[in-house]
Amino acid sequence: MSCCGAPTIETGSGYSVVSGTAEENELLASSHKIGENLIQSDFVVPDMHCVACIRSLEKTIGKLPFVSRVRANLSLKKVSVVWHQGSGNIIGIDRAISEAGFDHSVFDLSTDSEDANANSANKLLIALAVAGFAAVNIMLLSISVWSGADLETTKLFHLISGIIAVPAVFFSGQPFFRSALAALRGRRLNMDVPISLAVLLALGMSVYESMAGGRQAYFDAAVTLLFFLLIGRYLDNLMRDKARSAVVQLSRLAVKGAMTVGEDSSLTYIELDEIVPGMIVRVMPGDRVPVDGEVIKGQSDVDRSLVSGESVPLMVKCGHFVEAGILNLTGAIDICVQRDARHSFLGEVTRMMEAAEQGRGNYTRIADRMARIYAPAVHLLAALAFVGWMLYTKGDWHVSIYVAISVLIITCPCALGLAVPVVHVIAARRLFKQGIIIRDGSGFERLEEIDYIIFDKTGTLTSGIPQVEVSARSAGLFDDNAAAIAKTLAKHSSHPFSKSIAEFIKGSTSSDVTEIREVPGAGVEGRVSGNLTRLGRRQWVAQITDDNPRNVDPNSALSFALEGGNSVMFETSEEIRKDSFETIAELKTTGIDIEILSGDGMNPVKNIADRLTVSDFYHSQTPADKIARINQLKQQGKKVLMAGDGLNDSPALAAAHVSIAPANASDIARQAADFVFTRQSLSAVPFAINIAKRSGNLVRQNFTLAILYNAIAIPFAVAGYITPLIAAIAMSASSIVVVTNSMRLNLDPGNQKKSKTGLSSGDDDSLVSVATDISNMDTNTKGHWA
């Protein structure tokens, strides 16, 4: 059963891609088209642990000639690949990941990477328990040896220690050994290679001493070393999960499937990724809405706190739009599906959250380059330390290997690899809680640098819901026929003014209007009996009229006309967004320059600028004018933040140093923006700036901590002052310190005064839900023209 008015799905719709062989179809099950001949395929890679893993995956897959883009997400253990369907196939990508030495599976919406991470955490916990048990028992035996046991007793205790240690090391060391072996098979090095080498060297040296009848064995050191390494890996895993919990919470809101209504009103359960636009889905009380759609039958109270931030239930009925993830409370409703799961509210927000971790900003590139040379440098340094100590001790290989093991362990690049991504994950989470979604992780760095802000007026500084009425001078010109034509034109635009005009005109639309199209920055036009008709900016509409100057209202920026007739003027008024006055005032106190750039006429723009005390403003700006103004500011050395919502703002959003758009912006504007804020309050702008500045500070602190750790620890290890056990503790501690420092972004500095907008460091971190209208816009949005 399908519903009337279901949108036509074209390339990029998100339908699963079907190919030929069974193997291809299985791999393509969760792939989707994102453009003409472009497909995105997602894989879960549980064994991805460090920056070296990311680089290896991206390099190996990126070498395939048909791959357009590849991004590996460390926290989500997920790899996204964009490739050309006509030039290659997904089997090649699958084999490339295997050849790189990684076990993997196809990403499934219904069983996201949280399951893989939970499984990995359980394995680490079991390995940790076994290593701990072995370490305690071997330590008890070692105490007897250290206490002066005779030679025969020492040999016996060494034998028993070896019987305990060897299987314990090979079992508990699997998280490191498997990763290292896979890396070597893929002809690459990662952080687990030196760790595995160090543990096996310690164990091998102990076995040799026991078999040779020596009094010194290091079974206790080998197993305890592994025990502390596993503690570090497990804590690191837990803290990464905590940092990415916003994405996990979103994933938990996605249902596994839904009941579809057939032609005969029968109900059939299908999986979430099988739901496509046009289907009818029934949502029972207590269930969450699976995908975005329009209610076509029934009514119910729903909890839209995820979407609106309001805890008061809202009643929905036929004609109301509902988003994926909201909770149905009281009655059964039938929904006509308008977007599949990947392109629903939850899908879009989740992708934006993931993008925050995948951005390649300057800091990330620095960390990548440094981590890239780490593995070979570590092995070289350990070899040099071994040779140096062999020469210094005149052939004492026990001491030399001991020092080399310490160097291998203590120089692990974990802290450096975590310096940037953990901060970005937590920052994205903070923004998400306040209804701000980042589309590109590098946006944090660019937002931190801004010193100039340009605001669009309509829909950005204002609520975007203007009040419209016919000007007194035009009242006699607006008959029923003209009103029907004007309403028809207004219905074909997403601009707030056009929506208000469509609501203002009570009559029906006209079927006589043809060839309707929207002109960005101008308005909407069509033809009636071959004659042109326009609705939009007054100067543009006037090009087809024969206006009497006495009928022209100079205060009106909006008009309608039939070719050769007189213009019908509209008077408009707008409501300024919540907290805009406080937001503008606080931005000014930080020294950031502000101006308004709008396509509206002089009077409405000046009115808003005066009310907000913004002295610099420009009116009647076309898209080209806005880009020219941004380029002018760039030449003056300004780092510009552009805030806009319309199709005519999209080029300016892309041209600015960094950009932000409200959720009710046009589709193109949202795609062009680096940040999307989903609440009615404009305080999202200073709040995002604050988080970006604090994120930058924490990233620099993390780099400093990682570099200081290596600068202090490596010389001591090479000099022989650090044992392998201390090295393991120090290496794990360095990673934990970096992650803990990053999580300070969740705290409010006590010496900072909180502001209403959140620009000061003391911003609100309450666990509030996301408010968004991100999916309320029609999928065929044309754009804004003022």
Side-chain angles (χ1 to χ4, degrees):
M1 181 175 182
S2 62
C3 48
C4 298
T8 301
I9 305 300
E10 301 173 353
T11 298
S13 64
Y15 273 133
S16 294
V17 183
V18 179
S19 188
T21 67
E23 182 182 4
E24 281 183 287
N25 289 340
E26 183 178 354
L27 292 172
L28 287 168
S30 62
S31 298
H32 59 287
K33 292 185 177 181
I34 60 172
E36 187 174 357
N37 293 325
L38 281 179
I39 296 176
Q40 178 172 323
S41 300
D42 300 324
F43 300 87
V44 176
V45 186
D47 294 331
M48 181 166 41
H49 296 300
C50 62
V51 176
C53 297
I54 292 176
R55 178 176 175 271
S56 176
L57 280 165
E58 293 184 349
K59 184 178 179 181
T60 303
I61 301 172
K63 284 181 179 179
L64 299 175
F66 57 90
V67 170
S68 173
R69 183 174 69 253
V70 54
R71 282 288 180 266
N73 188 310
L74 183 60
S75 291
L76 296 178
K77 308 257 175 124
K78 175 181 172 184
V79 178
S80 299
V81 185
V82 176
W83 52 284
H84 295 276
Q85 186 178 17
S87 305
N89 60 58
I90 195 171
I91 294 178
I93 300 172
D94 181 71
R95 289 175 180 170
I97 298 176
S98 297
E99 289 172 3
F102 292 94
D103 291 331
H104 61 284
S105 60
V106 175
F107 179 79
D108 189 347
L109 277 172
S110 60
T111 56
D112 63 25
S113 57
E114 181 187 2
D115 296 335
N117 281 310
N119 186 44
S120 177
N122 290 335
K123 289 181 178 179
L124 283 173
L125 194 58
I126 294 172
L128 179 61
V130 171
F133 173 80
V136 169
N137 285 277
I138 293 173
M139 193 66 69
L140 290 174
L141 296 171
S142 299
I143 291 174
S144 299
V145 174
W146 298 339
S147 300
D150 57 47
L151 182 60
E152 292 303 319
T153 302
T154 298
K155 289 182 179 180
L156 176 62
F157 282 3
H158 282 173
L159 176 62
I160 297 173
S161 296
I163 293 173
I164 297 173
V166 172
V169 167
F170 279 101
F171 176 81
S172 297
Q174 287 186 62
F176 304 105
F177 300 156
R178 289 180 183 275
S179 174
L181 188 61
L184 293 175
R185 281 203 306 264
R187 290 175 293 183
R188 61 184 175 86
L189 295 173
N190 66 3
M191 57 172 276
D192 289 334
V193 173
I195 288 175
S196 300
L197 183 59
V199 172
L200 292 175
L201 279 174
L203 181 66
M205 191 164 60
S206 301
V207 172
Y208 173 81
E209 282 293 316
S210 297
M211 295 179 65
R215 294 193 64 89
Q216 292 185 352
Y218 309 96
F219 290 117
D220 53 347
V223 178
T224 308
L225 167 64
L226 184 59
F227 177 66
F228 279 102
L229 288 170
L230 285 167
I231 288 176
R233 178 63 61 87
Y234 182 71
L235 291 176
D236 178 51
N237 189 75
L238 287 181
M239 297 186 84
R240 289 194 200 189
D241 283 348
K242 183 175 178 61
R244 71 181 186 94
S245 61
V247 177
V248 173
Q249 290 168 9
L250 276 178
S251 300
R252 288 172 179 167
L253 294 177
V255 299
K256 305 299 183 183
M259 302 298 295
T260 59
V261 183
E263 295 285 352
D264 57 354
S265 298
S266 61
L267 297 178
T268 305
Y269 179 84
I270 64 172
E271 297 292 332
L272 181 63
D273 57 1
E274 296 177 5
I275 300 175
V276 296
M279 286 184 173
I280 303 294
V281 173
R282 179 161 297 171
V283 184
M284 303 301 292
D287 292 342
R288 291 193 179 273
V289 175
V291 290
D292 297 353
E294 180 181 343
V295 178
I296 61 170
K297 181 180 179 182
Q299 66 179 39
S300 176
D301 291 327
V302 296
D303 178 1
R304 295 184 74 250
S305 57
L306 172 72
V307 176
S308 66
E310 296 293 337
S311 58
V312 179
L314 176 73
M315 193 272 287
V316 295
K317 56 184 179 180
C318 289
H320 285 185
F321 186 88
V322 290
E323 301 87 347
I326 71 173
L327 182 63
N328 186 22
L329 298 175
T330 57
I333 51 175
D334 287 355
I335 298 171
C336 172
V337 177
Q338 294 190 357
R339 293 188 180 93
D340 62 15
R342 290 184 177 274
H343 293 77
S344 68
F345 160 66
L346 282 178
E348 185 169 355
V349 172
T350 302
R351 282 196 301 276
M352 289 182 178
M353 291 290 292
E354 292 177 3
E357 299 178 50
Q358 296 173 344
R360 290 294 188 264
N362 292 329
Y363 292 137
T364 306
R365 285 190 289 270
I366 291 172
D368 285 353
R369 284 196 295 268
M370 294 177 70
R372 190 178 306 165
I373 63 174
Y374 240 80
V378 165
H379 290 85
L380 179 61
L381 185 61
L384 291 175
F386 175 78
V387 172
W389 275 90
M390 285 288 287
L391 295 174
Y392 178 73
T393 60
K394 298 180 181 180
D396 189 340
W397 62 273
H398 292 87
V399 174
S400 301
I401 288 181
Y402 217 59
V403 172
I405 290 172
S406 299
V407 172
L408 284 170
I409 294 170
I410 209 162
T411 50
C412 176
C414 299
L416 187 63
L418 293 171
V420 181
V422 174
V423 173
H424 282 185
V425 172
I426 297 172
R429 178 187 175 201
R430 285 300 310 271
L431 294 181
F432 177 70
K433 289 178 181 178
Q434 297 298 325
I436 307 165
I437 306 165
I438 178 171
R439 300 188 66 254
D440 183 359
S442 65
F444 284 120
E445 296 173 25
R446 288 179 280 120
L447 185 60
E448 181 190 5
E449 299 170 347
I450 66 109
D451 54 14
Y452 205 99
I453 301 179
I454 293 177
F455 286 102
D456 174 50
K457 180 181 72 69
T458 304
T460 305
L461 287 173
T462 64
S463 63
I465 309 176
Q467 301 299 314
V468 176
E469 61 182 21
V470 177
S471 169
R473 299 190 185 188
S474 304
L477 303 174
F478 204 49
D479 56 23
D480 291 343
N481 180 56
I485 295 172
K487 185 167 186 174
T488 303
L489 294 176
K491 284 281 190 179
H492 283 76
S493 172
S494 64
H495 191 279
F497 283 159
S498 67
K499 290 184 176 181
S500 296
I501 289 173
E503 293 178 3
F504 168 73
I505 301 172
K506 302 303 180 184
S508 60
T509 58
S510 172
S511 60
D512 297 331
V513 187
T514 60
E515 300 179 30
I516 301 174
R517 71 185 186 97
E518 185 166 20
V519 180
V524 187
E525 68 178 13
R527 291 192 177 274
V528 178
S529 301
N531 295 319
L532 203 58
T533 179
R534 286 179 174 177
L535 171 69
R537 294 175 60 181
R538 178 167 58 86
Q539 297 89 338
W540 180 67
V541 173
Q543 297 172 6
I544 65 169
T545 67
D546 186 19
D547 281 327
N548 185 329
R550 289 178 298 177
N551 293 331
V552 176
D553 186 348
N555 295 321
S556 176
L558 193 64
S559 64
F560 159 79
L562 290 164
E563 189 173 8
N566 292 313
S567 294
V568 176
M569 306 293 175
F570 294 95
E571 293 179 350
T572 61
S573 59
E574 299 177 82
E575 179 184 356
I576 294 179
R577 277 186 184 269
K578 179 183 179 182
D579 293 340
S580 293
F581 296 96
E582 294 90 340
T583 297
I584 297 296
E586 184 147 0
L587 286 171
K588 286 183 177 180
T589 63
T590 65
I592 298 176
D593 296 321
I594 300 171
E595 75 175 42
I596 298 174
L597 214 57
S598 175
D600 282 355
M602 170 69 175
N603 288 335
V605 176
K606 185 177 185 302
N607 176 48
I608 296 296
D610 289 344
R611 292 172 64 187
L612 293 174
T613 65
V614 176
S615 56
D616 296 326
F617 62 90
Y618 295 83
H619 62 88
S620 306
Q621 297 290 293
T622 65
D625 294 333
K626 293 182 179 182
I627 292 179
R629 176 57 180 162
I630 290 175
N631 289 335
Q632 181 185 14
L633 291 169
K634 283 184 177 179
Q635 292 174 359
Q636 297 173 10
K638 299 291 186 181
K639 303 291 187 181
V640 180
L641 166 64
M642 175 69 193
D645 72 316
L647 175 61
N648 63 325
D649 295 318
S650 301
L653 290 168
H657 188 63
V658 65
S659 54
I660 187 169
N664 60 355
S666 68
D667 288 344
I668 296 177
R670 288 207 311 272
Q671 292 299 318
D674 298 296
F675 296 83
V676 176
F677 66 93
T678 62
R679 300 186 180 178
Q680 292 302 312
S681 173
L682 199 64
S683 63
V685 175
F687 184 86
I689 294 172
N690 170 49
I691 292 297
K693 290 183 181 296
R694 292 179 60 192
S695 297
N697 290 334
L698 288 173
V699 166
R700 288 186 287 272
Q701 290 173 19
N702 285 347
F703 273 130
T704 302
L705 289 170
I707 292 171
L708 281 177
Y709 160 75
N710 285 284
I712 295 172
I714 292 176
F716 276 93
V718 172
Y721 291 112
I722 296 179
T723 66
L725 183 59
I726 299 300
I729 296 173
M731 185 271 287
S732 300
S734 67
S735 298
I736 294 171
V737 166
V738 165
V739 175
T740 303
N741 184 61
S742 302
M743 297 187 75
R744 291 197 303 117
L745 192 60
N746 285 322
L747 304 177
D748 296 328
N751 59 348
Q752 296 279 344
K753 181 181 178 181
K754 282 190 178 183
S755 69
K756 292 182 179 179
T757 63
L759 185 57
S760 69
S761 296
D763 47 83
D764 182 24
D765 190 36
S766 59
L767 284 169
V768 293
S769 299
V770 178
T772 182
D773 294 323
I774 206 163
S775 298
N776 289 346
M777 302 302 297
D778 187 89
T779 53
N780 296 319
T781 296
K782 302 296 192 301
H784 291 185
W785 33 265

